[in-house]
Structures are given as structure tokens and as C-alpha cells.
Amino acid sequence: MRLILLTLHICGGVSGVLSGFVAMTFRKGSRWHNLAGQVFAIAIMTMAASGATLAVMKQQTGNILGGILTFYLVATAWMTARKSDRAKTTPLDWTALGFALIAGAAQFVLGTRVALHLSAKAPGVPMAVYFIFGAILLLAAAGDIRWMLQGGAFGTKRIVRHLWRMCFSFFIATGSFFLGQQKVFPAAWRGAGIWWVLGFLPLGLLIFWLARVWITGSWYSKSGPKRLIQESAPATAVVAR
């Protein structure tokens, strides 16, 4: 069983990283971007679920929570892209919110226990990571609550919700592979600067796209540039120029 899970974890991670980079090269909203994005979502969720299951078997609490974070971000980003504006809240939305709240609180509890030397710190994991991941989960959960109270999101808010969750989960995958698994690289390649560039590239793209959407209200679709404006009527929230 461990071998099967490890194989799924590795294949999902490699497929997710490759499809993520492919999705970046195509125009946002195009057919090929959407196809690569679907492959990315399935691959990363497979990687996260199998990795978290392996972590349960090995009693690696930090990896369990990391897998939950990654799975949750990709799943909610994918659901955001598929939902229409002001979509009705479903039981799946409440389930995702519950996971985020529980896992976020667990990250803070674990980080506090590690800080007080009541639990062992995961090798190679800085202390701050526990609290950063916990804060991200609780921040995302707060976004879910607002999403449900408002009956959904439209225009810029919807695009931003999809963007940051996809890009951050992509960063977790690239960081884990290019920075956390250099032991599998040939000895001469380890520590090369290119791995740091590839590892943090999704964060740079996240900042770029969030700034573009927030400041200019523009993104790319199949038909070319689009500008998002938030109006009083949700049905007219997205207007193409």
C-alpha cells in the first residue's frame, strides 16, 4: 500500500508541476489553459491526498496538515472556476470550510507545541512554517465564510479567489520538489540557483496576476484581454471590451 501511495504521490507531483507550467504559457481562459488547469487540479489533489495518507501511516503530523492545505486550496480554486457568479452554497462548500478551520487551528496548536518543545519539529521545516500555513488556512476559511454569506462572488473577487489559491498550491508543489527534494537530483545539480527560481516562480506569478487584476481589472481570455468591473447586478459583473 505504501508503494502504491508513494507512486501516486510522485506521479501526481510531477504531472502537477508540468501541467502547472503548461497552464502558464496559454492565454487565461483559453481552451488549452482550461485543459492544463484541470490536469493540474487532478494531479495536485492526487499528490496531496496520497501524501497526507502516507503521512498518517508514518505519523508525520506536519505533512498531514500540509497535504490537507494543498488539497483544500486546489479543490476550492477549482470549484470557484466552475461555479457561476452568485452560485448556491452546497454541502461541499461547508465541508471545505470545516476542513480549513480544523486544519488551520491544528497548525497553530502544532506550531505552539513545537515551540514549547512538547512535539518534535519536522526535519528541515522552519518554525514559522507552522504558523504561516495555519494563517493561510484560516484566511482562506474567512474568505469562504464571506463567499457563503454574500451568496458567492463575481467579477474581480471571483478571479482573485481562483488565482491566489491555484498559484499558492502550485508554489507548495514547486517548493516541495525543487527545494525540498534536491537529494534525488545528481550531486552536481544540488544547490543550483535555478531551483530557487523555479521553486518561487509561482509566488512571483501570483503577485503579478493579483496586481494586474486588482489594479487594472484585466485578465486574459480566449478572445483576448478582458476587463472586469463590479456592478450592482451580478449578471453584468463581467464585461468584455
Side-chain angles (χ1 to χ4, degrees):
M1 178 60 70
R2 288 194 178 189
L3 179 59
I4 294 174
L5 290 171
L6 181 60
T7 301
L8 287 173
H9 182 69
I10 294 173
C11 291
V14 172
S15 300
V17 169
L18 292 176
S19 59
F21 282 119
V22 169
M24 290 181 186
T25 64
F26 290 106
R27 181 174 295 168
K28 306 300 178 289
S30 68
R31 174 187 176 188
W32 291 109
H33 172 79
N34 292 337
L35 179 60
Q38 291 178 21
V39 173
F40 170 81
I42 294 172
I44 294 298
M45 286 191 288
T46 299
M47 178 199 75
S50 57
T53 305
L54 277 172
V56 170
M57 294 179 175
K58 298 179 179 180
Q59 298 182 343
Q60 298 172 335
T61 307
N63 289 336
I64 295 172
L65 297 175
I68 290 174
L69 168 62
T70 306
F71 188 96
Y72 160 78
L73 288 177
V74 176
T76 52
W78 179 74
M79 289 190 294
T80 300
R82 292 183 61 86
K83 284 178 177 288
S84 59
D85 290 339
R86 296 289 185 179
K88 183 179 179 181
T89 300
T90 66
L92 192 58
D93 295 317
W94 287 103
T95 302
L97 172 60
F99 266 114
L101 290 173
I102 294 172
Q107 284 278 23
F108 274 97
V109 170
L110 178 60
T112 301
R113 289 183 59 85
V114 170
L116 297 175
H117 304 289
L118 298 176
S119 296
K121 185 172 75 71
V125 179
M127 181 76 64
V129 168
Y130 295 103
F131 298 101
I132 291 173
F133 277 18
I136 291 170
L137 275 163
L138 295 181
L139 178 65
D144 287 348
I145 293 173
R146 184 178 64 176
W147 164 286
M148 289 186 284
L149 290 177
Q150 294 179 347
F154 56 91
T156 303
K157 290 182 179 179
R158 184 179 174 211
I159 299 301
V160 167
R161 176 182 167 90
H162 173 74
L163 275 174
W164 87 261
R165 292 173 188 242
M166 276 294 193
C167 288
F168 197 87
S169 60
F170 189 25
F171 164 65
I172 294 175
T174 57
S176 298
F177 179 71
F178 292 115
L179 304 180
Q181 298 297 325
Q182 291 196 21
K183 61 185 178 182
V184 304
F185 298 168
W189 293 7
R190 297 171 191 171
I194 185 62
W195 307 130
W196 289 90
V197 173
L198 293 175
F200 282 92
L201 180 60
L203 276 187
L205 291 170
L206 169 60
I207 294 171
F208 167 78
W209 277 108
L210 288 183
R212 185 183 182 94
V213 171
W214 268 331
I215 296 173
T216 68
S218 297
W219 60 296
Y220 284 98
S221 68
K222 179 168 30 177
S223 58
K226 283 191 175 182
R227 183 169 299 277
L228 302 176
I229 60 174
Q230 191 169 337
E231 300 179 348
S232 58
T236 59
V238 179
V239 178
R241 288 187 179 179

